[in-house]
Amino acid sequence: MKQEIEFARTLEEVRKKARAQQNFITKTEVEEAFSALSLSEQQMEMVFAYLRQNKIGVDEPADVDAYLEEEERNYLDTYLDALQAIPKVTDGEREAITLSAMAGDADAVRRLTELMLPEVPQIAKLYTGQGVGLEDLIGEGNVALSLGVTMLGALEHADETQGMLIRMMMDAMEECIETSAAEEKSDQKIADKVNRVADAANALREELRRSVTVEELMEESGLSRKAIEDAVRISGGKIESIAAE
C-alpha cells in the first residue's frame, strides 16, 4: 500500500512538472522521478502511456490539436483570427511595457494583457477533454491573466512575468476542471439518491397497486423521511409513485 501511495504521489509530481513545462517532459526526467520505486519496464511503459493519454509529450511535443472537437477547432480558429489584430512589438518594446506594468502603469498593464492573450488558448488546449470546454477554459485563463497583470509589482525582474502569468492561467484552468468534476460527482450523488427513492416507491406501488405514502415507503424501504422528502423536492415532485401530501 505504501508503494502504491508513493507511486500516485510521484505520478502527480511528474504531471505537474510537465504542465509547468508546457505539457512536455523527457523520458529521462520521468525515469529519474520513479527511480526509487524500481518499476519494471512494463510498468514504466504504462506511466508513459498515461502521460501521452493526458496530452503530455514525452521527448517530443504532444499534438494537442488532435484532441480538439470540430466545434472547438472552429471556435479556436475564430478566436485566434481576432487576436491577429493585436499590434506586434519588438523584444525591447515588450520589456519596456513589462517594466512599466510592474510599476503599475495602467496603459502598460492593458498592453501587456493584450500581448499575453495569445498564450491563453495555447494553454487551454492542454486541458481539453477533461470535462470543461475550450471556450470556458479560455475564459478562465483570461480572468487569471487580467488579475495577474495587476500583481506584477511583487516581482523583481521582467523576465519572471511570463512564467508567473502562465502559472496563474494554468492554476485557474486546473481549478475550473476540479470544480467541474466535483460538481458532476455531487450531481451524480443527488441523482443516485433520487433514483433510489423512486425505485423503492415504484416497487411498492406495484405491490399495493396504488400510489404510496411517505410513511408506507419509510416502513417498507427503511429510507428516512428526510431522504424521501428531499428526493421528492429535488425531482420537483416528479416521483409519481409517491402520493402528494
Side-chain angles (χ1 to χ4, degrees), residues 77-185:
D77 289 342
T78 302
Y79 188 87
L80 293 177
D81 285 343
L83 294 182
Q84 293 300 314
I86 298 175
K88 303 295 189 293
V89 296
T90 65
D91 291 343
E93 290 171 332
R94 186 185 184 102
E95 183 176 5
I97 292 169
T98 301
L99 289 171
S100 295
M102 292 171 65
D105 181 86
D107 288 337
V109 167
R110 177 189 57 78
R111 189 73 178 96
L112 183 59
T113 302
E114 289 180 342
L115 294 175
M116 286 295 296
L117 282 176
E119 300 287 346
V120 179
Q122 301 307 319
I123 296 170
K125 288 193 294 184
L126 305 177
Y127 292 98
T128 56
Q130 299 186 59
V132 179
L134 180 66
E135 184 174 355
D136 290 334
L137 291 170
I138 290 176
E140 292 293 329
N142 285 338
V143 171
L145 172 60
S146 297
L147 175 62
V149 291
T150 67
M151 301 168 59
L152 300 179
L155 301 178
E156 294 184 4
H157 305 289
D159 58 6
E160 297 175 330
T161 58
Q162 183 163 349
M164 171 187 163
L165 294 173
I166 286 176
R167 282 195 299 274
M168 288 187 68
M169 288 185 272
M170 295 178 79
D171 288 345
M173 293 179 197
E174 290 187 4
E175 183 177 349
C176 179
I177 291 170
E178 290 173 1
T179 300
S180 176
E183 289 176 349
E184 184 176 340
K185 185 176 182 180

Side-chain angles (χ1 to χ4, degrees), residues 13-223:
E13 289 178 352
V14 167
R15 188 189 68 82
K16 287 184 176 179
K17 183 174 184 179
R19 295 293 192 208
Q21 298 173 167
Q22 300 292 293
N23 263 34
F24 174 83
I25 196 166
T26 67
K27 186 175 182 181
T28 300
E29 287 176 317
V30 178
E31 290 173 340
E32 288 177 351
F34 283 95
S35 60
L37 295 178
S38 301
L39 300 183
S40 66
E41 184 176 339
Q42 183 179 8
Q43 288 173 318
M44 285 304 304
E45 283 303 318
M46 291 175 64
V47 170
F48 292 131
Y50 168 83
L51 294 175
R52 294 187 181 99
Q53 287 171 1
N54 283 269
K55 307 174 192 173
I56 294 174
V58 180
D59 281 343
E60 61 181 12
D63 183 12
V64 292
D65 288 335
Y67 295 90
L68 297 177
E69 301 289 341
E70 183 177 357
E71 183 178 347
E72 291 178 321
R73 288 196 186 96
N74 293 337
Y75 173 79
L76 182 61
D77 289 342
T78 302
Y79 188 87
L80 293 177
D81 285 343
L83 294 182
Q84 293 300 314
I86 298 175
K88 303 295 189 293
V89 296
T90 65
D91 291 343
E93 290 171 332
R94 186 185 184 102
E95 183 176 5
I97 292 169
T98 301
L99 289 171
S100 295
M102 292 171 65
D105 181 86
D107 288 337
V109 167
R110 177 189 57 78
R111 189 73 178 96
L112 183 59
T113 302
E114 289 180 342
L115 294 175
M116 286 295 296
L117 282 176
E119 300 287 346
V120 179
Q122 301 307 319
I123 296 170
K125 288 193 294 184
L126 305 177
Y127 292 98
T128 56
Q130 299 186 59
V132 179
L134 180 66
E135 184 174 355
D136 290 334
L137 291 170
I138 290 176
E140 292 293 329
N142 285 338
V143 171
L145 172 60
S146 297
L147 175 62
V149 291
T150 67
M151 301 168 59
L152 300 179
L155 301 178
E156 294 184 4
H157 305 289
D159 58 6
E160 297 175 330
T161 58
Q162 183 163 349
M164 171 187 163
L165 294 173
I166 286 176
R167 282 195 299 274
M168 288 187 68
M169 288 185 272
M170 295 178 79
D171 288 345
M173 293 179 197
E174 290 187 4
E175 183 177 349
C176 179
I177 291 170
E178 290 173 1
T179 300
S180 176
E183 289 176 349
E184 184 176 340
K185 185 176 182 180
S186 177
D187 289 345
Q188 185 59 52
K189 283 184 177 180
I190 292 173
D192 289 343
K193 289 179 181 179
V194 172
N195 289 335
R196 182 185 175 195
V197 171
D199 289 345
N202 289 337
L204 186 56
R205 183 176 69 170
E206 288 185 10
E207 180 180 336
L208 300 178
R209 298 183 181 278
R210 60 172 171 78
S211 296
V212 301
T213 65
V214 172
E215 287 73 16
E216 289 171 333
L217 188 55
M218 288 170 57
E219 182 178 349
E220 292 297 324
S221 67
L223 292 167

